[in-house]
Amino acid sequence: MKLRITTLAAALAVAVLTAPAEAKTFRYAFQGDLNALDPYTLNETFTLGAMGNVMEGLTKRDKDLKIIPGLAERWEIVEPTRWRFYLRKGVKFHGGEPFTADDVIFSAERALSPESNIKSRIAAGTKVVKVDDHTVEFITTGPNPILHYEWDTWYIFSKAWSEANGATKVQTSSSQLSPFTLKANGTGPFIIESHQPGVKTVFKPNPNWWGKPEHNLTEVIFQTIKSDATRVAALLSGEIDMMDPVPVQDIARVKANASTDVLTGPELRTIFLNMDSLRDELLYSDVKGKNPFKDARVRKAFYQAIDMEAIHSRVMRGNSANSAILISPLLFSRSAEFKRHPYDPDAAKKLLTEAGYPNGFAVEMDCPNDRYVNDEAICQAVVAMLARIGIKAKLNAMPKAKYFEKAGATQKYDSSFNLLGWTPGSFDSHNVLLNLVGCRDGKGSGAFNYGGYCNPKVDEIAGKVLTENDPTKRDELIAQAYRIVHDEAGLIPLHQQTLAWGVSKKVKIVQRADNQILFYWAQKE
Amino acid sequence: MLAFTIRRLFEAAIVMLTVALMAFVLFRFVGDPINQMVGQDTSLAEREELRERLGLNDPVLVQFGRFIWNAARYDFGISYQVKRPVTSLIAERFPATFELALTAAFFAILLGIPMGVYTGIHRDSWLSKLFLSVSLIGISLPTFLIGILLIYVFAVQLGVLPSFGRGEVVRIGGWTTGLLTASGLKALILPAITLGLFQMTLVTRLVRSQMLEVLRTDYIKFARARGLGDRAVNFGHALKNTLIPVITIIGLQLGAIIAFAIITETVFQWPGMGLMFIQAVQNADIPVMSAYLLLVAFLFVLINLIVDLLYVWIDPRVRIYGREA
């Protein structure tokens, strides 16, 4: 009997000591869904962010997006084409499987498999070699300074778990969901407890995580709330602790509320305008037999006719940062050297006259209306501003599904003038130079160059950027390329959007510029 | 009767085929689903391959033929966006919509009929005027605005009801219900009012105008002359005779609120078919859109069929014509 009482007392003591002071449930909502839990299926920020709480890559990025060690403790460049990664020891997956070099090799193969949507994580031709259980080497075909730039979202799978759960093949984007995509097994600070695609996902902290937790949460619940007004209401009523995004027009209201606040910060996405400078005759225009956009003076006239201050203060209500280049200043060290061509309608009118269009011309502008913050309103403002220099632009605003079909590769870039937004997945300028300003070759270069701008000199520099290992020289090359695009107004950069997260004042959370919602840094009162 | 039913079923099949064909022609204008299915770094070649694999490069008629062939075997394909069979998605979402629509219909009937009767009898009382003003609001305010107003008052200001979702649900076989939990019932109130307000207004006004007409008829006067009480006259005789058109309208409206709860479901993030449909439209998710439109067509055809059969049952004249044909 005595023994039993002692045991009981001991058990009680343990329970009291280990039980968390109280349940801290963090509830958040996003406008989009979380579907398959296979992070190799869809290369998309929100999904990758949610999974980043559960799974980990060899590297991670800290609160300022700086690359820090993740599942790799450290790494070294043995020779320019051979990188060696030393893996963290004693790490276990949620399912209890130990983390070793085999998992890295398996994950590399999985990421490069035909069904994968994240092939860009590992440069083509890279060989992955196991040195020992906790050392892996990556042998590249040429020097590659940004080899590991995207590895924070190349999450490592457990080989044993994948084989046991039929997850060796990536969930393809065209077939039925496999059962394994409702589960996840990572090494990260949170475990997915339940997942109903498109409705609700529940996370619990991982008690055996290798790192030191910086959060105090006991449970996290994610729900989709599509309607803007409802998402705002749910935050104001205290049903959720955080939501993304806050519509621009509601920011003031959420801030004014006593128990909520809005976290704003620069986002990495840049919004810009493309002008078709490739076709010999401009489509959807009254100019016949030639293409005015081939003349840099016309492009610059468009550039200088747009009053970005007005767009910043009126359309975006101050929630944007005007930009002179096609990448966020957070991602390029020398961005401060670039200044926008000044807003000057008189100079623009003069340029048009010099180019032979004193009375302007007519053109159609294509614009998505459900993709970027106030996308359609920005286009409306641009159309009105262009009217002042005699350009009769007709706006075609359309849903994103239609827009990307028309202005993009599907319908052979059937557009004369359009608005697009871009975040380089690698957080690096080479991605911008390749996708947005590279000459369209139908293969990889210029895939998102919706205006067909083409300057072989820029492509040549981009080629050098790819293999230059010295950071200073590399940035110099990038600056040269941006300088050319800027000088001849190849595209018109507009601004970077602002992130706006609505948060309860009870919650402290880190807002990272890439818009991943990482609650492993969240504290709740 | 049997011939009548068979002829009706044949007509129904033609209606559904027509709806499916029209939907398919329209799908050419909803845009490209591929961009929403892959990340931005996916190469053009891979995108093209995916398009080929999904059969999006085939001529519309080929795609249509394939769709009908599969639909005839109850296979509506796999959602591009959610990547699950459309049939199981709809089966999963249907209970939420059905419960919402039914509650909204009950709300509309239980409030609409008494209000209609009252305003019909007491035409000039201030309460009648109030009822009619309220019903005017119900008809003239758009659904999303009513929904947001209700959310603002009851969720944000008073904090008594949830602003979104369905609460806790209980699974019974293949059906999920929110009617058995407190949070589920609470979550049902605001969306049901939002969805049912317009119907309630309709019922009120319909019952009122019918009552006004019936109360003028001779048999009501005779009933009064016989010395029957107000209650017996108004409810026993008058209301009964107003109900035939009301039932017809309610039946048809039930189809409408199941099919077009889209706005209410979006405002309240109600996990039903309407919300699924709106997301499918935005992402050009053709399998979901086509199956949904077909389902809606089927629902209306079915309700019409039932109403027609009811007429035959109620009205012998139709039965006679039916036999002749």
Side-chain angles (χ1 to χ4, degrees):
Chain A
M1 187 67 193
K2 192 165 178 231
L3 183 73
R4 260 176 65 191
I5 290 171
T6 326
T7 328
L8 200 67
L12 260 176
V14 169
V16 168
L17 284 173
T18 54
E22 57 182 307
K24 304 259 191 202
T25 302
F26 172 67
R27 295 166 193 271
Y28 75 111
F30 183 65
Q31 61 180 354
D33 291 333
L34 185 58
N35 283 324
L37 295 182
D38 183 345
Y40 293 10
T41 300
L42 184 60
N43 190 10
E44 177 246 353
T45 306
F46 178 72
T47 308
L48 291 176
M51 293 309 292
N53 293 294
V54 177
M55 302 180 79
E56 294 171 305
L58 292 182
T59 66
K60 287 190 147 191
R61 283 183 186 262
D62 70 3
K63 294 165 189 171
D64 303 314
L65 290 173
K66 214 167 84 246
I67 295 175
I68 54 167
L71 286 177
E73 265 173 340
R74 61 195 172 89
W75 52 90
E76 60 189 13
I77 305 175
V78 186
E79 52 188 272
T81 59
R82 196 151 64 91
W83 294 48
R84 178 175 289 179
F85 282 79
Y86 299 94
L87 307 183
R88 205 174 284 280
K89 287 175 189 155
V91 173
K92 279 197 169 26
F93 285 92
H94 299 156
E97 306 87 354
F99 161 67
T100 67
D102 291 326
D103 298 318
V104 177
I105 291 168
F106 168 78
S107 300
E109 282 166 5
R110 197 174 187 277
L112 288 170
S113 64
E115 297 83 13
S116 163
N117 198 221
I118 60 154
K119 292 193 197 81
S120 62
R121 294 292 183 282
I122 303 170
T126 304
K127 270 196 287 221
V128 191
V129 179
K130 174 179 173 179
V131 179
D132 60 48
D133 266 359
H134 291 97
T135 317
V136 181
E137 281 188 353
F138 291 81
I139 298 159
T140 57
T141 50
N144 182 0
I146 57 166
L147 176 72
H148 59 312
Y149 266 40
E150 292 181 73
W151 286 6
D152 55 312
T153 51
W154 167 40
Y155 300 128
I156 303 298
F157 271 80
S158 158
K159 186 175 185 222
W161 180 85
S162 303
E163 283 166 356
N165 287 275
T168 49
K169 278 234 165 67
V170 176
Q171 167 66 46
T172 64
S173 40
S174 65
S175 62
Q176 190 178 336
L177 274 193
S178 312
F180 81 85
T181 56
L182 297 180
K183 298 184 275 183
N185 186 33
T187 54
F190 282 86
I191 297 170
I192 288 186
E193 191 181 67
S194 68
H195 175 57
Q196 290 170 266
V199 183
K200 186 176 174 186
T201 308
V202 180
F203 303 76
K204 282 272 159 74
N206 173 8
N208 304 316
W209 187 49
W210 55 268
K212 192 174 164 299
E214 284 183 57
H215 66 86
N216 68 344
L217 309 175
T218 55
E219 188 184 41
V220 176
I221 296 174
F222 162 70
Q223 279 160 303
T224 302
I225 306 181
K226 194 155 186 51
S227 152
D228 283 340
T230 313
R231 208 164 51 243
V232 172
L235 179 75
L236 295 181
S237 66
E239 288 166 85
I240 52 174
D241 300 310
M242 185 238 149
M243 61 90 162
D244 176 33
V246 184
V248 167
Q249 64 273 14
D250 287 323
I251 289 179
R253 191 154 73 96
V254 177
K255 273 188 177 162
N257 187 39
S259 61
T260 56
D261 201 358
V262 180
L263 281 184
T264 53
E267 196 191 336
L268 298 179
R269 178 178 286 129
T270 305
I271 306 292
F272 52 92
L273 303 176
N274 295 296
M275 298 155 284
D276 176 13
S277 53
L278 188 68
R279 284 188 180 82
D280 288 326
E281 184 181 293
L282 192 61
L283 301 174
Y284 310 111
S285 169
D286 58 356
V287 180
K288 295 298 165 202
K290 56 182 176 173
N291 181 348
F293 285 133
K294 278 190 182 291
D295 188 331
R297 286 173 298 189
V298 174
R299 298 196 300 260
K300 202 168 166 204
F302 271 56
Y303 196 134
Q304 295 202 277
I306 299 170
D307 182 357
M308 280 314 290
E309 277 314 311
I311 290 182
H312 171 74
S313 60
R314 302 282 166 74
V315 179
M316 303 300 288
R317 305 196 195 191
N319 295 293
S320 65
N322 294 343
S323 181
I325 52 171
L326 294 164
I327 195 165
S328 155
L330 297 170
L331 300 179
F332 181 50
S333 62
R334 289 176 57 178
S335 54
E337 292 169 20
F338 293 85
K339 295 276 171 288
R340 288 184 58 84
H341 297 297
Y343 164 63
D344 188 344
D346 294 332
K349 190 100 185 96
K350 229 174 107 211
L351 282 167
L352 272 187
T353 312
E354 279 171 28
Y357 304 96
N359 301 317
F361 56 90
V363 67
E364 289 191 14
M365 180 181 196
D366 298 314
C367 188
N369 60 13
D370 57 356
R371 182 65 191 89
Y372 311 111
V373 178
N374 288 348
D375 38 15
E376 187 179 354
I378 297 170
C379 291
Q380 282 167 345
V382 166
V383 166
M385 288 164 183
L386 288 174
R388 288 184 213 148
I389 63 161
I391 299 294
K392 293 166 280 293
K394 178 175 166 281
L395 179 59
N396 302 319
M398 54 194 122
K400 61 183 184 236
K402 190 73 205 155
Y403 172 78
F404 287 111
E405 177 184 59
K406 181 175 191 285
T410 318
Q411 290 189 354
K412 307 206 161 37
Y413 306 97
D414 180 23
S415 173
S416 299
F417 181 40
N418 54 63
L419 175 138
L420 190 65
W422 189 260
T423 310
S426 58
F427 297 164
D428 180 77
S429 289
H430 179 259
N431 175 302
V432 172
L433 295 175
L434 182 74
N435 283 301
L436 303 184
V437 302
C439 299
R440 286 204 296 246
D441 64 0
K443 287 184 216 113
S445 178
F448 283 86
N449 185 349
Y450 281 13
Y453 167 78
C454 180
N455 186 334
K457 185 86 183 77
V458 175
D459 278 13
E460 191 194 319
I461 298 173
K464 287 186 199 157
V465 169
L466 189 61
T467 53
E468 178 58 62
N469 260 343
D470 181 86
T472 319
K473 282 193 203 145
R474 195 167 181 276
D475 282 357
E476 170 56 28
L477 286 169
I478 294 169
Q480 279 175 19
Y482 284 148
R483 179 62 62 196
I484 296 172
V485 179
H486 176 77
D487 286 347
E488 56 185 22
L491 295 85
I492 305 175
L494 299 180
H495 57 234
Q496 277 90 34
Q497 300 175 175
T498 302
L499 290 179
W501 293 4
V503 287
S504 151
K505 283 189 176 154
K506 282 186 194 151
V507 166
K508 297 237 170 329
I509 187 164
V510 176
Q511 183 182 46
R512 217 166 65 173
D514 63 357
N515 205 19
Q516 287 191 14
I517 300 168
L518 297 170
F519 40 80
Y520 54 72
W521 289 319
Q523 292 277 337
K524 189 173 177 183
E525 269 173 30
Chain B
M1 187 78 175
L2 186 68
F4 178 82
T5 312
I6 290 173
R7 203 181 60 205
R8 279 297 169 154
L9 283 174
F10 181 69
E11 284 170 12
I14 291 178
V15 167
M16 287 176 66
L17 268 178
T18 315
V19 168
L21 183 66
M22 274 165 61
F24 250 80
V25 172
L26 284 177
F27 290 158
R28 295 175 60 199
F29 302 103
V30 295
D32 182 16
I34 304 294
N35 195 67
Q36 278 71 246
M37 295 172 72
V38 298
Q40 65 175 15
D41 290 331
T42 310
S43 71
L44 297 179
E46 277 179 79
R47 285 166 196 253
E48 193 46 47
E49 195 194 308
L50 184 59
R51 193 170 291 117
E52 190 64 46
R53 201 159 2 125
L54 294 173
L56 293 171
N57 288 336
D58 299 337
V60 175
L61 271 179
V62 174
Q63 293 191 39
F64 179 65
R66 193 166 46 217
F67 171 74
I68 292 299
W69 172 242
N70 288 332
R73 295 176 300 162
Y74 195 61
D75 172 11
F76 291 94
I78 290 159
S79 155
Y80 293 164
Q81 206 61 30
V82 191
K83 300 179 184 66
R84 293 172 55 209
V86 174
T87 44
S88 63
L89 271 180
I90 288 183
E92 206 171 88
R93 296 289 188 123
F94 185 76
T97 299
F98 188 71
E99 281 182 3
L100 175 62
L102 219 57
T103 315
F106 270 120
F107 161 76
I109 294 166
L110 293 183
L111 249 79
I113 291 180
M115 273 165 69
V117 171
Y118 185 86
T119 51
I121 298 167
H122 310 277
R123 258 190 298 176
D124 296 321
S125 83
W126 64 270
L127 198 59
S128 290
K129 283 180 183 138
L130 181 75
F131 284 162
L132 287 176
S133 315
V134 168
S135 71
L136 199 64
I137 293 172
I139 266 187
S140 48
L141 280 187
T143 313
F144 70 89
L145 199 64
I146 293 172
I148 289 167
L149 275 175
L150 289 175
I151 289 177
Y152 182 73
V153 173
F154 291 99
V156 178
Q157 293 299 319
L158 302 175
V160 287
L161 293 170
S163 60
F164 72 99
R166 208 182 161 201
E168 292 295 322
V169 290
V170 178
R171 181 171 285 276
I172 304 167
W175 190 275
T176 56
T177 178
L179 300 175
L180 298 176
T181 63
S183 72
L185 287 173
K186 266 172 106 178
L188 192 58
I189 297 173
L190 294 184
I193 293 177
T194 308
L195 187 60
L197 199 58
F198 182 83
Q199 319 298 331
M200 184 196 83
T201 307
L202 203 65
V203 171
T204 307
R205 302 216 150 212
L206 198 66
V207 170
R208 176 174 177 270
S209 65
Q210 290 288 322
M211 281 296 278
L212 289 178
E213 212 158 282
V214 170
L215 285 175
R216 275 201 299 267
T217 54
D218 290 342
Y219 67 86
I220 296 295
K221 286 178 188 153
F222 279 117
R224 287 202 196 286
R226 271 163 59 206
L228 292 179
D230 272 354
R231 196 188 180 86
V233 173
N234 290 336
F235 290 91
H237 294 265
L239 179 63
K240 227 182 211 171
N241 280 288
T242 65
L243 281 186
I244 294 161
V246 172
I247 287 169
T248 315
I249 292 289
I250 288 172
L252 288 176
Q253 288 292 322
L254 182 65
I257 54 184
I258 291 176
F260 304 119
I262 296 174
I263 293 170
T264 307
E265 292 192 358
T266 310
V267 169
F268 289 95
Q269 191 66 34
W270 189 263
M273 295 191 302
L275 189 64
M276 179 182 75
F277 179 69
I278 203 89
Q279 279 164 336
V281 171
Q282 280 166 351
N283 292 314
D285 196 339
I286 293 170
V288 173
M289 279 192 284
S290 44
Y292 181 80
L293 289 176
L294 217 56
L295 180 76
V296 167
F298 175 72
L299 219 62
F300 273 93
V301 164
L302 188 74
I303 289 173
N304 265 313
L305 183 69
I306 293 172
V307 168
D308 283 349
L309 291 176
L310 277 178
Y311 281 162
V312 175
W313 181 59
I314 293 170
D315 191 340
R317 282 170 299 181
V318 182
R319 207 176 322 173
I320 293 161
Y321 293 130
R323 194 174 296 149
E324 277 171 3

